[in-house]
Amino acid sequence: AQPRLAVVLGKLLLPGIVLLLQTLLLLAMLAFALHVEAENWLHFSLTLFMTASAFLAILFMLVSVLGDAGRLVALILLVLQLASAGATIPVELTSPFFQAIHPFMPLTWVVRALRVAMFGAYEGQWLHAMGVIAAIDLACLLVAAALGRWRVVEEDQYQPLIELN
């Protein structure tokens, strides 16, 4: 039997490579097609890479621990984050509920890190925001390794989850 963390990292290898390529494409589009300006492109790029990694880890953890219900939880988490992270509208203009959950949403820290990298906001505290994102990423990987459930399916029994006729 292989160590559970090694299994988790192995399962995330291919999606991680796809995310890396998508993030590189996004960076190229932002820089060369849209001419987005950032105060610190290194921080901006690292924020995008860490964000992609963290959200992949969150989704993987939810699905591996909760099964298909994890997909629903991920969708609810997405909606909550959009309303509470302060990215679409200032959090101060939202309801007290969203203001209360604001500091606990991963997207809050992504928005903060991007604002630091692009505009030098929050007194340049990029490393703090990135530390929170990295901690979320690591915690999700460890929870998935500790509590994740997956079935090993023999190759001859493997079939798609959804069958389209």
Side-chain angles (χ1 to χ4, degrees):
Q2 301 162 337
R4 291 181 65 82
L5 186 58
V7 172
V8 166
L9 294 175
K11 288 182 174 293
L12 290 174
L13 180 63
L14 186 58
I17 291 170
V18 170
L19 275 180
L20 174 70
L21 295 173
Q22 287 176 331
T23 305
L24 287 171
L25 182 61
L26 176 65
L27 280 168
M29 294 281 294
L30 290 171
F32 303 115
L34 298 175
H35 306 288
V36 169
E37 294 182 22
E39 187 171 290
N40 189 322
W41 270 97
L42 177 63
H43 287 173
F44 183 73
S45 302
L46 289 173
T47 299
L48 292 181
F49 285 117
M50 282 300 297
T51 298
S53 174
F55 281 99
L56 174 63
I58 290 168
L59 184 59
F60 182 80
M61 183 231 6
L62 289 171
V63 172
S64 68
V65 171
L66 302 175
D68 287 336
R71 296 174 195 206
L72 177 63
V73 173
L75 184 61
I76 293 168
L77 181 62
L78 174 65
V79 171
L80 286 174
Q81 289 187 104
L82 288 175
S84 67
T88 53
I89 59 171
V91 72
E92 295 80 13
L93 299 178
T94 62
S95 73
F97 171 74
F98 291 121
Q99 291 178 29
I101 65 172
H102 169 74
F104 305 103
M105 294 288 109
L107 189 59
T108 296
W109 297 98
V110 170
V111 169
R112 185 172 290 232
L114 287 172
R115 286 180 178 161
V116 172
M118 293 181 75
F119 312 116
Y122 302 108
E123 298 174 355
Q125 294 183 351
W126 177 80
L127 198 54
H128 178 255
M130 286 304 297
V132 173
I133 296 167
I136 291 167
D137 195 350
L138 180 61
C140 288
L141 292 175
L142 293 175
V143 168
L147 303 176
R149 305 170 304 184
W150 42 82
R151 283 184 298 147
V152 176
V153 178
E154 298 298 325
E155 190 172 338
D156 61 328
Q157 296 178 342
Y158 182 78
Q159 52 186 297
L161 287 174
I162 298 174
E163 213 173 291
L164 301 173
N165 293 328

